[in-house]
Amino acid sequence: MYCKIQYEGRNINLSVLLDEKLEIRELKKSSTKGAFSCPYCKETLVIKSGDKRKYHFSHKKSKSCELSIESDKYHEQIRRESKQHSVIKNFIHDELKVQQKLNKELEVEYGFVTKATEKWRYYPDIIMKNMDNEIAITVLTNVTQNRDEKLANQIIKRNTYFKEKGLIPIWFVENTEQSIDLGRHVIHLWEAELNLAMKTPEDLMWETLLNETARDQSLFELFDYHHQNTPDSYKVRSLYYIQSREDSIQFSVRRFVEDEQKVHSEHLR
């Protein structure tokens, strides 16, 4: 299914045109007259329908292009995400594009656009290249208990794949998924969230400091933190959250010390 098309000089989805109450027969007539084109290869698109696929756009004369095929693969990959996913992703992309204009060493593009010719198995939402480093930026939404185990396995596969491709994965979790008990300094995490936690250079500094400082007394007891078990050594990691507002995107970082994984609970520093 070709999610994006060009119509009257702007990118749009077929679903949007149908939501605008345009008659399908009128859209078909427009498509036969060359009103719609592929935003990637600029070839004319026509509207088709079949038993397996309802109304969809297809390249004329059964032509296709790598970008449209890989676009389909990527959009199938993110089908589970909430509507906010595209809003957040596009906001990050546009902001980074502004930075690209200011920094000639910075290159920013959607993941499937950058790597379409390589036909990757998984695509990050955005790939940012800064000199020799390539960063895979991905936004995660719609994390729930009934999806958690399957999603956690998918994240492990995608994270591993991005690393094998030489990218540095950075994941942003939609802020609505946060579950924090500030009074007890506890953050409760789904398994999927825990698999997204990073170990940054700052985390390593805190980890070293805590393990050198808290030799005689438990860190949790020292600061009166609620905890399940006292670990033999402290492991520090960070999790990035993102929240979309009407006119802005807000980022937050939660640095935590691992306590008990079996009940999906982690404790904040």
Side-chain angles (χ1 to χ4, degrees):
M1 179 178 67
Y2 295 98
C3 297
K4 276 190 177 181
I5 60 168
Q6 278 197 339
Y7 176 62
E8 295 295 325
R10 64 188 178 113
N11 288 347
I12 199 168
N13 293 343
L14 175 59
S15 59
V16 172
L17 292 175
L18 293 175
D19 287 344
E20 291 176 352
K21 309 301 181 186
L22 295 177
E23 294 280 350
I24 192 67
R25 66 173 181 272
E26 292 298 325
L27 292 174
K28 282 186 173 181
K29 187 186 297 182
S30 297
S31 75
T32 59
K33 293 186 176 183
F36 307 104
S37 61
C38 173
Y40 308 119
C41 69
K42 308 306 178 184
E43 288 288 336
T44 300
L45 298 178
V46 294
I47 295 180
K48 293 183 177 181
S49 62
D51 295 333
K52 292 184 178 180
R53 298 170 68 189
K54 193 65 174 171
Y55 298 116
H56 62 279
F57 282 99
S58 177
H59 284 71
K60 205 170 183 178
K61 298 180 181 179
S62 299
K63 288 183 179 179
S64 192
C65 69
E66 288 178 335
L67 269 174
S68 61
I69 293 171
E70 299 310 300
S71 172
D72 285 352
K73 185 191 297 184
Y74 165 71
H75 282 91
E76 178 62 26
Q77 175 186 300
I78 63 171
R79 188 160 55 93
R80 59 160 301 282
E81 304 290 351
S82 71
K83 291 182 179 180
Q84 282 299 105
H85 175 269
S86 292
V87 175
I88 296 171
K89 173 192 70 178
N90 291 335
F91 190 98
I92 295 174
H93 175 268
D94 293 347
E95 287 296 308
L96 289 175
K97 277 292 188 182
V98 172
Q99 295 302 314
Q100 179 178 299
K101 294 178 180 179
L102 303 175
N103 185 351
K104 294 181 179 179
E105 296 178 343
L106 195 66
E107 297 176 23
V108 179
E109 191 49 270
Y110 292 112
F112 74 89
V113 174
T114 302
K115 304 298 182 181
T117 56
E118 299 178 31
K119 302 187 187 308
W120 280 18
R121 189 183 313 150
Y122 307 109
Y123 290 108
D125 292 328
I126 299 166
I127 291 180
M128 180 176 69
K129 186 174 182 180
N130 188 11
M131 298 183 70
D132 295 331
N133 293 322
E134 277 193 306
I135 300 172
I137 300 174
T138 308
V139 177
L140 186 70
T141 64
N142 203 18
V143 183
T144 58
Q145 184 174 9
N146 62 333
R147 296 169 184 258
D148 182 50
E149 184 176 352
K150 183 178 179 180
L151 179 59
N153 292 332
Q154 290 176 356
I155 287 169
I156 291 172
K157 290 179 181 178
R158 290 163 70 182
N159 242 345
T160 301
Y161 186 79
F162 295 155
K163 289 177 181 178
E164 288 174 349
K165 291 293 186 180
L167 275 67
I168 303 170
I170 296 180
W171 295 73
F172 293 98
V173 185
E174 191 176 15
N175 194 59
T176 55
E177 311 298 345
Q178 280 194 86
S179 177
I180 296 178
D181 181 347
L182 291 176
R184 297 189 176 199
H185 303 278
V186 175
I187 179 171
H188 302 275
L189 303 178
W190 294 121
E191 184 180 357
E193 291 177 280
L194 183 59
N195 285 336
L196 299 180
M198 299 179 61
K199 186 176 286 293
T200 65
E202 289 77 13
D203 294 322
L204 287 171
M205 289 174 59
W206 275 106
E207 194 172 279
T208 301
L209 177 64
L210 293 177
N211 283 306
E212 289 177 351
T213 303
R215 291 178 182 272
D216 302 323
Q217 192 174 6
S218 163
L219 171 73
F220 303 116
E221 294 173 357
L222 185 64
F223 291 98
D224 194 26
Y225 287 173
H226 175 79
H227 63 286
Q228 299 288 337
N229 297 299
T230 300
D232 295 330
S233 63
Y234 297 106
K235 298 177 182 178
V236 181
R237 286 197 277 172
S238 293
L239 193 58
Y240 296 170
Y241 284 96
I242 190 167
Q243 182 177 13
S244 62
R245 300 182 181 275
E246 290 185 4
D247 58 352
S248 64
I249 295 289
Q250 190 173 64
F251 297 89
S252 60
V253 180
R254 299 296 178 182
R255 178 167 290 120
F256 60 86
V257 176
E258 292 184 29
D259 174 14
E260 177 63 54
Q261 289 193 25
K262 292 181 181 179
V263 293
H264 302 286
S265 296
E266 305 301 326
H267 292 256
L268 288 171
R269 174 178 59 81

